[in-house]
Amino acid sequence: MNRWLLALPLAVFGVGGIGLYLLFLSQANENAFQENLLPELIGFCLEGFFLVGLFTFIQQLRDYYRRRELWMSLRSALRDFLSHLDLAFLAPDAEPASTSALESEPLLVSRLTSLLGDAELGIDTLINLKKAAICTLPLARDLINIAAQLSTRHMRCWIAIVTAIDQLSVANTREQAERPLHELLMRLAEFDTLKL
């Protein structure tokens, strides 16, 4: 709806300018620029079209970058979980994922989800993940308001992620830990696919 409201002035200036230009061409003669207001009206429509278009583009770009920063702040809250999982499945001669990859790469989440489905985590990794859940839970709860600023779907996904973190933080068995961990990764993958 908001995009249509922004496009309406562009359409008015564009159609008005084209209409006035066609009217001007139909009345063109040797005195077309003298004592005629049409060229000025055409110029006004062109200026309005370009200025409104430019300001609309700048505003949308600023809004996108603001939403991207909010998204990055949400994703960075889950960096510890992804780091522990990445280290658990790391090949002996491989390098761990970079911080920026942990915070923004949806492909990393997909890879970790498939690896988690194929392999079993060690007890040390599960303990580290539980500690990370206990430390991250208050922050993740506080970030629900940030997720709500993105969209309702982002907020729903984030609430599901917080629920999974909460379940992981109180887990006492392998099954109780692995189920919310799978849920967390699935919801995070869904969160990554939502449009900003």
Side-chain angles (χ1 to χ4, degrees):
M1 182 66 182
N2 198 13
R3 289 181 181 176
W4 291 111
L5 288 175
L6 291 173
L8 183 64
L10 282 176
V12 169
F13 282 121
V15 170
I18 291 171
L20 290 171
Y21 180 70
L22 292 175
L23 179 65
F24 178 73
L25 286 181
S26 68
Q27 298 176 358
N29 58 27
E30 63 274 354
N31 296 326
F33 285 98
Q34 296 175 355
E35 298 179 6
N36 195 345
L37 195 57
L38 284 177
E40 291 198 28
L41 290 174
I42 293 169
F44 173 75
C45 287
L46 284 173
E47 288 174 7
F49 182 80
F50 287 114
L51 286 177
V52 169
L54 181 64
F55 289 138
T56 300
F57 174 74
I58 291 171
Q59 181 60 37
Q60 287 181 343
L61 197 60
R62 288 180 63 197
D63 188 48
Y64 171 77
Y65 283 124
R66 184 187 67 81
R67 294 169 68 76
R68 178 79 180 167
E69 285 178 13
L70 294 175
W71 183 84
M72 288 293 289
S73 67
L74 291 166
R75 280 292 261 110
S76 64
L78 303 176
R79 182 179 54 227
D80 285 346
F81 291 105
L82 299 178
S83 177
H84 287 301
L85 286 172
D86 182 51
L87 292 173
F89 297 124
L90 198 63
D93 57 344
E95 289 287 325
S98 67
T99 303
S100 62
L102 291 170
E103 291 178 353
S104 62
E105 285 293 325
L107 293 176
L108 179 70
V109 176
S110 301
R111 183 178 68 82
L112 292 175
T113 303
S114 63
L115 288 171
L116 186 61
D118 296 340
E120 191 173 87
L121 292 172
I123 294 297
D124 291 340
T125 302
L126 290 173
I127 291 171
N128 288 335
L129 287 167
K130 181 175 177 174
K131 288 178 182 175
I134 292 168
C135 292
T136 306
L137 185 59
L139 173 63
R141 282 186 178 140
D142 290 341
L143 290 175
I144 291 174
N145 292 332
I146 302 296
Q149 292 179 32
L150 292 174
S151 73
T152 306
R153 294 180 68 196
H154 282 93
M155 184 182 71
R156 286 188 195 129
C157 273
W158 192 257
I159 289 172
I161 288 170
V162 171
T163 303
I165 293 171
D166 187 26
Q167 291 172 355
L168 183 59
S169 69
V170 296
N172 292 320
T173 65
R174 175 180 291 279
E175 289 178 1
Q176 290 176 347
E178 287 180 347
R179 196 175 334 110
L181 197 53
H182 279 285
E183 180 70 16
L184 188 147
L185 289 176
M186 283 176 23
R187 292 299 183 166
L188 184 55
E190 182 183 347
F191 182 83
D192 286 343
T193 62
L194 295 177
K195 186 178 178 182
L196 287 178

